[in-house]
Amino acid sequence: MIGPHRVNADPTVPSIRSSRLTRRRLLQAGAGAAALASGAASPSWATARGVPAIQGEPITLTYWHGWTEQWEEMVQFVVDQFHQQQSRIRIEPVVVPVGSQEQSSEFLAKLTAAIAAGEPPDIVTLFGSTAIPTLASQGALVPLDSLDGADLPTVEAWMDPNVYRLGRYEDHLYGLSYWAGAYALIYNKAHFAEVGLDPEVGPATVADLDAFAERLTVRSGSGDISRMGFLPSDLLLWGTVFGGNFYDPSSNEVTANDPNVVRALAWMRSYAEKYDAQKVAEFNEGLASERAANLDPLIAGKFSMQIQGPWKLGDIKKFGDPNFAYGVVRPPLADAEAQPANWTWGDIQVIPTGSKDPAAALEFVKFTAGVNDPDGYARRCTWGERPINVPVSRAVLEVPSFQQVVASHPGFDVFIDALLNGERIGSPPVMPAAAFFTDRLAAATDSVMLLQAEPGPALDDLDQSVQSELDRAR
Amino acid sequence: MATLTRRDGSPLAPVGGRTTRAATGRRWAGSAARHAILLACSAVFVLPFVWMVVTSLKSNQQVLVYPPEWIPSPVRWRNYLDAFEAAPLLRYAWNTTVICVTSVVGVVISSTVVAYGFSRLEWRGRDALFVVVLASLMLPFQVTLIPLFIIFSRLDWTNTYLPLTVPAFFGNAFYIFLLRQFFLRIPRDYSDAARVEGANELQILWQIIVPLARPAMITVALFQFLFAWNDFLGPLIYISEESRFTLALGLATMRSNLGLSEFGQIMAAATMIVAPVLLIFAVAQRYFIEGIAASGVKG
């Protein structure tokens, strides 16, 4: 639930500017349009705003984020903690209610317009790291390593290496993640018991997963699926689990047609073949139309096993039947010999070009990542005393308040272990065409799962189109 | 009833009565079939609204029950109160109303004047300029977004409602097109007669054209109202202060982007947001349909 509307009473906050239209402003607008027209071909965003504050002078920074509903309160909690820790830098959070990562293009539209107009926010949270290479290559982000007081060795030592790299692009660090996404498989113990599976033993390998799914799936007399044992959907995760790579940064080559990724997609397609692609599509459509966007098929018992993030454990506690019994296991291995694998992403704090005091902004960015503050960070990343995502640092695992949250939410430890001790951790390709790549990958996966395309050719096509987009962007 | 006779004078069976009954039966069957089809089609559109209202009265647990339950049990009216506590909906409603009313007034006045110039006045380059106006319809918002933002930023208009309302006073290509089509159907003799009587163009527009074009103008007003009421991207780009949010933005702040939302509350808020639109549409639908039919334009 969102708290009461907050009015900023800080006298250092600039008041909303006058909206009076004067001839001078009209002329300025005309000049601005002309400048834009003449500089349209230039990729540079650099339009410095104001004069950087003198070291030590009180300053108010505007912070854009997309966290809505109860998470807006979490942001305020983080900001309040930051204010308690120091008094010089005041943070004014501004919610940009884009809702989800899928809508991040709207968030980016607002952000790029503001940067181009020379009135950017001072700090921004990007959902996911895919936009960083694009923005960084256009000069729209401040490299953190260029700032005084960055002290990157300390930051690097604090953060898990797989999470730290989410903010990197071409030898520079552009952002720090607030926390880290991780996947695990959550299963319904009652369904396991119902079909004679041991409720305490989840699938360890993909072969187990296939066999369990078959037993757990329930069809009606007409062949319609009323309960799905399991349905793979995320090729980024499964491609990594099968040992594949999507991009080779050393040669700047898209490698989505890596044989292991093809193998993963072929395995995903086997579900469409086994359970009838049409019936699977109808099952999915049925879920969507019945419950609109907020359907939770796992809690509703429509799926027996699902790949999910740690936040689902909090949802089960809050929204699920109190008797809902679940188990959590790491994503099953491709085979018994394979390395444990996972996929991570982050919500990353960056500093846009034109931020009025990047050094002060950096202080807040480092604070959100909890650098060398395990106790405070433990409270922030488990806001509401519930699992949300995995902390960015192992140091937090020793904090009693964090251990309490782990103990009260069975299965949270599996997510933490899967990410921090995983041997192969994939993350979004660090390239300017990353957003285009994820869109195309989702489209290719859909067409294969509808049996409209074969995995190999679909990924070959994807490789070509993303590579040409990448070459253009570079 | 008149009866027909054979050549021999014997009366024919009152075939007229049977034919009438058969025709009535056929008409009834046809009408029933038409209504059945219309009811089925309307159900497709109405069901999401019904589902929205029903869900707005459910608890979180009942929202997630499978198979879905249509009847809320218990009926949870509290979702409506909770929605007001979750977000300042009245303030958002006021903000949205200010934008809607201002932009509707602006669009109706400006588009009417411009459409009059494109349809009732003869001047050199008129048709070429009209094509240019129509061509501006092809530009998606994303293309003009950054240049417009820079202009409004230079004017110091960002984080105000001015970028969302002032452009309405400079015409809208689609509405100009719609009104022009309607104005073209009004006989020129009316204007000529008024001119002979000494009326100037503004008098002709106000006293002759506007009263005749009322359905089209109401259609324009409704289109603009619906657009402004539901617009998400415009306010998202230009408004950065929560107290200035519109209903569309406010509703987005109620939806959780991590895990499940308080779905009952969201649906309660959505019901309250949609209700005024439905009400206005119900009141004005006669003009709306008339305007669309007369101008030959579908939205």
Side-chain angles (χ1 to χ4, degrees):
Chain A
M1 191 182 296
I2 296 167
H5 175 67
R6 297 172 198 95
V7 177
N8 195 332
D10 189 330
T12 61
V13 178
S15 59
I16 297 303
R17 291 160 300 178
S18 157
S19 56
R20 199 158 56 89
L21 175 61
T22 62
R23 195 170 60 170
R24 175 174 294 184
R25 282 185 180 149
L26 265 174
L27 290 172
Q28 282 173 341
L36 178 84
S38 63
S42 164
S44 172
W45 299 96
T47 43
R49 179 166 62 116
V51 180
I54 301 163
Q55 191 79 29
E57 188 183 314
I59 186 164
T60 297
L61 302 178
T62 306
Y63 164 42
W64 283 8
H65 65 87
W67 275 305
T68 49
E69 208 226 15
Q70 55 179 315
W71 307 108
E72 208 179 338
E73 279 185 58
M74 180 195 73
V75 170
Q76 192 59 47
F77 176 74
V78 173
V79 168
D80 289 345
Q81 281 215 331
F82 182 66
H83 290 168
Q84 281 167 20
Q85 197 186 68
Q86 52 76 53
S87 58
R88 185 175 81 87
I89 306 162
R90 307 293 297 175
I91 302 294
E92 185 188 3
V94 173
V95 62
V96 181
V98 286
S100 64
Q101 195 165 340
E102 289 73 43
Q103 283 178 295
S104 60
S105 61
E106 289 161 355
F107 185 98
L108 290 176
K110 181 178 171 81
L111 177 62
T112 48
I115 295 174
E119 55 168 299
D122 302 297
I123 307 146
V124 175
T125 294
L126 297 175
F127 286 155
S129 58
T130 51
I132 288 181
T134 307
L135 292 171
S137 64
Q138 293 174 333
L141 299 180
V142 175
L144 304 189
D145 38 80
S146 69
L147 300 171
D148 291 341
D151 190 13
L152 291 193
T154 304
V155 177
E156 196 169 356
W158 162 259
M159 294 182 87
D160 178 77
N162 292 308
V163 184
Y164 181 75
R165 75 165 188 239
L166 293 173
R168 287 188 66 83
Y169 174 66
E170 288 196 339
D171 301 330
H172 290 291
L173 183 74
Y174 288 95
L176 298 178
S177 190
Y178 181 58
W179 46 30
Y183 285 126
L185 185 130
I186 305 182
Y187 63 90
N188 185 323
K189 285 188 174 179
H191 290 184
F192 270 46
E194 183 190 309
V195 299
L197 290 168
D198 182 351
E200 302 309 319
V201 181
T205 63
V206 162
D208 291 344
L209 183 61
D210 295 345
F212 287 17
E214 196 157 350
R215 287 173 71 171
L216 289 160
T217 299
V218 177
R219 294 186 182 89
S220 67
S222 59
D224 293 338
I225 299 166
S226 59
R227 183 175 85 194
M228 198 78 214
F230 177 75
L231 188 64
S233 60
D234 187 347
L235 183 55
L236 292 169
L237 171 68
W238 293 111
T240 310
V241 165
F242 275 75
N245 288 303
F246 296 90
Y247 177 62
D248 179 359
S250 62
S251 60
N252 295 323
E253 275 181 32
V254 183
T255 59
N257 57 358
D258 177 327
N260 286 328
V261 178
V262 176
R263 206 158 58 91
L265 189 52
W267 167 72
M268 289 170 66
R269 184 187 155 104
S270 73
Y271 274 72
E273 287 162 348
K274 189 191 297 179
Y275 297 100
D276 184 342
Q278 188 60 35
K279 297 288 183 195
V280 171
E282 282 168 13
F283 175 77
N284 278 330
E285 279 167 21
L287 298 180
S289 62
E290 282 159 8
R291 211 51 51 73
N294 239 38
L295 169 73
D296 193 293
L298 184 73
I299 294 176
K302 293 295 288 175
F303 275 105
S304 300
M305 301 183 283
Q306 258 199 330
I307 292 290
Q308 284 288 354
W311 63 85
K312 185 55 65 185
L313 304 179
D315 279 349
I316 290 173
K317 203 165 189 175
K318 185 174 176 186
F319 293 94
D321 186 319
N323 299 319
F324 184 81
Y326 64 89
V328 183
V329 292
R330 282 178 170 208
L333 305 175
D335 56 61
E337 308 300 318
Q339 297 172 308
N342 215 306
W343 180 266
T344 193
W345 65 98
D347 294 325
I348 301 173
Q349 275 65 243
V350 296
I351 303 173
T353 301
S355 167
K356 58 181 167 293
D357 189 342
L362 176 65
E363 292 299 310
F364 182 66
V365 169
K366 284 168 75 173
F367 177 82
T368 58
V371 179
N372 286 349
D373 175 24
D375 290 338
Y377 178 66
R379 283 196 300 279
R380 296 193 290 277
C381 75
T382 55
W383 177 80
E385 283 84 45
R386 56 174 286 183
I388 306 168
N389 275 308
V390 174
V392 299
S393 174
R394 285 169 192 277
V396 178
L397 307 185
E398 309 303 323
V399 176
S401 69
F402 186 79
Q403 288 173 338
Q404 219 163 22
V405 174
V406 174
S408 60
H409 291 84
F412 188 24
D413 54 338
V414 177
F415 287 93
I416 297 166
D417 181 53
L419 181 68
L420 299 184
N421 298 321
E423 291 175 29
R424 277 177 50 77
I425 306 297
S427 54
V430 186
M431 59 178 181
F436 181 73
F437 163 76
T438 46
D439 282 354
R440 301 303 305 160
L441 193 76
T445 306
D446 283 350
S447 66
V448 169
M449 293 301 279
L450 289 168
L451 304 184
Q452 292 166 349
E454 293 291 330
L459 292 172
D460 285 341
D461 289 350
L462 176 138
D463 233 38
Q464 275 179 4
S465 62
V466 177
Q467 188 68 51
S468 55
E469 181 72 16
L470 176 61
D471 294 341
R472 262 200 305 276
R474 296 184 73 86
Chain B
M1 185 190 296
T3 51
L4 298 175
T5 54
R6 292 196 178 94
R7 277 192 189 156
D8 60 4
S10 62
L12 275 169
V15 289
R18 195 182 295 164
T19 306
T20 307
R21 272 203 298 280
T24 308
R26 271 200 303 278
R27 269 203 303 277
W28 185 88
S31 170
R34 271 198 304 278
H35 277 84
I37 292 168
L38 287 173
L39 278 173
C41 290
S42 63
V44 172
F45 290 95
V46 168
L47 275 181
F49 287 101
V50 174
W51 183 249
M52 178 180 73
V53 175
V54 165
T55 308
S56 75
L57 297 170
K58 286 180 179 176
S59 66
N60 282 329
Q61 279 70 23
Q62 210 191 356
V63 168
L64 295 172
V65 165
Y66 192 87
E69 290 174 358
W70 279 92
I71 309 296
S73 174
V75 176
R76 194 180 147 81
W77 293 103
R78 200 179 156 74
N79 283 341
Y80 283 81
L81 289 177
D82 289 346
F84 280 104
E85 282 175 21
L89 291 178
L90 286 177
R91 171 174 278 276
Y92 296 158
W94 171 250
N95 296 343
T96 313
T97 306
V98 168
I99 294 172
C100 275
V101 170
T102 315
S103 65
V104 163
V105 169
V107 143
V108 170
I109 292 173
S110 59
S111 300
T112 303
V113 172
V114 177
Y116 182 80
F118 277 129
S119 58
R120 314 286 298 184
L121 302 179
E122 298 290 340
W123 43 281
R124 192 186 297 173
R126 183 187 77 166
D127 294 342
L129 194 60
F130 183 63
V131 171
V132 172
V133 170
L134 283 188
S136 71
L137 275 176
M138 313 299 165
L139 286 174
F141 182 61
Q142 287 78 359
V143 171
T144 55
L145 191 152
I146 289 181
L148 278 176
F149 190 93
I150 291 176
I151 292 169
F152 291 133
S153 169
R154 295 283 193 277
L155 291 169
D156 240 355
W157 284 7
T158 52
N159 206 20
T160 73
Y161 299 142
L162 296 174
L164 303 170
T165 51
V166 172
F169 288 85
F170 294 89
N172 172 295
F174 175 69
Y175 303 138
I176 291 169
F177 172 67
L178 191 147
L179 288 168
R180 175 185 175 271
Q181 297 306 102
F182 195 94
F183 292 170
L184 286 175
R185 295 179 66 246
I186 299 172
R188 288 192 164 274
D189 299 351
Y190 294 180
S191 305
D192 294 340
R195 276 191 200 97
V196 169
E197 295 294 326
N200 62 30
E201 294 302 333
L202 271 180
Q203 284 172 315
I204 295 171
L205 172 63
W206 182 246
Q207 291 175 4
I208 298 191
I209 303 297
V210 166
L212 290 171
R214 211 165 56 165
M217 291 170 70
I218 290 174
T219 304
V220 166
L222 269 175
F223 271 145
Q224 178 61 23
F225 180 84
L226 290 176
F227 169 77
W229 191 264
N230 295 321
D231 186 21
F232 179 79
L233 195 55
L236 179 81
I237 297 295
Y238 292 114
I239 306 296
S240 291
E241 193 179 293
E242 216 167 335
S243 63
R244 296 176 182 227
F245 275 8
T246 59
L247 281 168
L249 290 184
L251 196 62
T253 64
M254 294 178 71
R255 187 176 162 218
S256 172
N257 42 14
L258 201 57
L260 296 173
S261 306
E262 297 286 344
F263 218 40
Q265 282 176 29
I266 293 180
M267 287 302 187
T271 303
M272 290 185 283
I273 290 169
V274 168
V277 179
L278 284 180
L279 194 69
I280 289 174
F281 189 83
V283 170
Q285 65 167 326
R286 187 167 63 86
Y287 295 104
F288 189 60
I289 293 164
E290 211 174 302
I292 290 173
S295 55
V297 177
K298 277 195 280 185

